[in-house]
Amino acid sequence: TALGTYTGKTMTGQDVSYNDSGLLHRQGATLLAAAEDTSAASIKVYKSTDMYTNVTLVATISSSSGPKGWATYYDRSGVERPLLATAEGVYYIDLANSLAVMLLPMSTHTNNGLRMRVWEGRLYIPIGGTGGAKMHRVTWTGSTMIVETIGPGKDDGLPTDRQADISTLFPVEG
């Protein structure tokens, strides 16, 4: 079953073999879909402004894997845009000009950007393949984009035998 079943607090039977084949995102009144095209080794980004009655291809991104995460954040010029994480890095989607532009290149890894999130004005992007539970924290200051590497695997964080790639981020009120 695609959704699986719950036994107490544990989910069983979940099919995760295609967990990166497609993701949806809402940018204001525009709905976006990113779908993996395995035959072309790419991700196709579509948009709709009428609840998917009419769908338009916005961009095609070469990628070794499917989409990893959506977020709304700033590009390097301070324009708020939809961002799409891929195995190769983070792209901003220019809806007006039907473009996908690399914003933050990363060393290719299938776990890069998994379910990146904006939290308290900053963008958090998991880094795959580091073996150290690290992520990028991106801050737009109003004139500059600052990218820092942070996470529980950094500095005096988790012991090495307790570290792994971050697979998803959930913002929590605290």
Side-chain angles (χ1 to χ4, degrees), residues 5-165:
T5 58
Y6 284 91
T7 304
K9 294 182 179 179
T10 305
M11 179 181 272
T12 58
Q14 183 181 24
D15 179 5
V16 295
S17 59
Y18 295 103
N19 66 347
D20 292 331
S21 59
L23 293 173
L24 301 174
H25 182 67
R26 176 181 231 146
Q27 176 77 18
T30 301
L31 300 175
L32 299 164
E36 181 181 18
D37 181 349
T38 55
S39 65
S42 65
I43 299 169
K44 298 201 184 286
V45 179
Y46 299 92
K47 74 175 181 178
S48 175
T49 56
D50 57 8
M51 298 300 293
Y52 290 113
T53 300
N54 296 293
V55 177
T56 305
L57 178 65
V58 175
T60 301
I61 301 169
S62 293
S63 183
S64 61
S65 190
K68 305 300 177 182
W70 279 110
T72 298
Y73 202 66
Y74 303 97
D75 66 13
R76 291 191 184 273
S77 64
V79 176
E80 192 174 68
R81 299 188 188 268
L83 305 181
L84 179 65
T86 70
E88 294 75 22
V90 178
Y91 289 81
Y92 73 78
I93 309 301
D94 182 341
L95 296 172
N97 296 304
S98 295
L99 295 171
V101 179
M102 179 63 81
L103 177 68
L104 182 64
M106 300 168 75
S107 296
T108 301
H109 194 277
T110 191
N111 290 341
N112 281 340
L114 286 174
R115 310 313 179 254
M116 68 180 174
R117 293 283 184 259
V118 173
W119 178 244
E120 295 184 346
R122 295 182 172 142
L123 176 65
Y124 292 87
I125 308 163
I127 303 170
T130 61
K134 294 180 187 146
M135 66 184 108
H136 289 308
R137 178 174 61 199
V138 179
T139 306
W140 176 252
T141 67
S143 61
T144 305
M145 183 172 282
I146 300 168
V147 180
E148 304 167 277
T149 301
I150 64 165
K154 188 120 167 60
D155 303 323
D156 294 323
L158 292 173
T160 304
D161 64 338
R162 300 286 185 212
Q163 297 178 17
D165 288 348

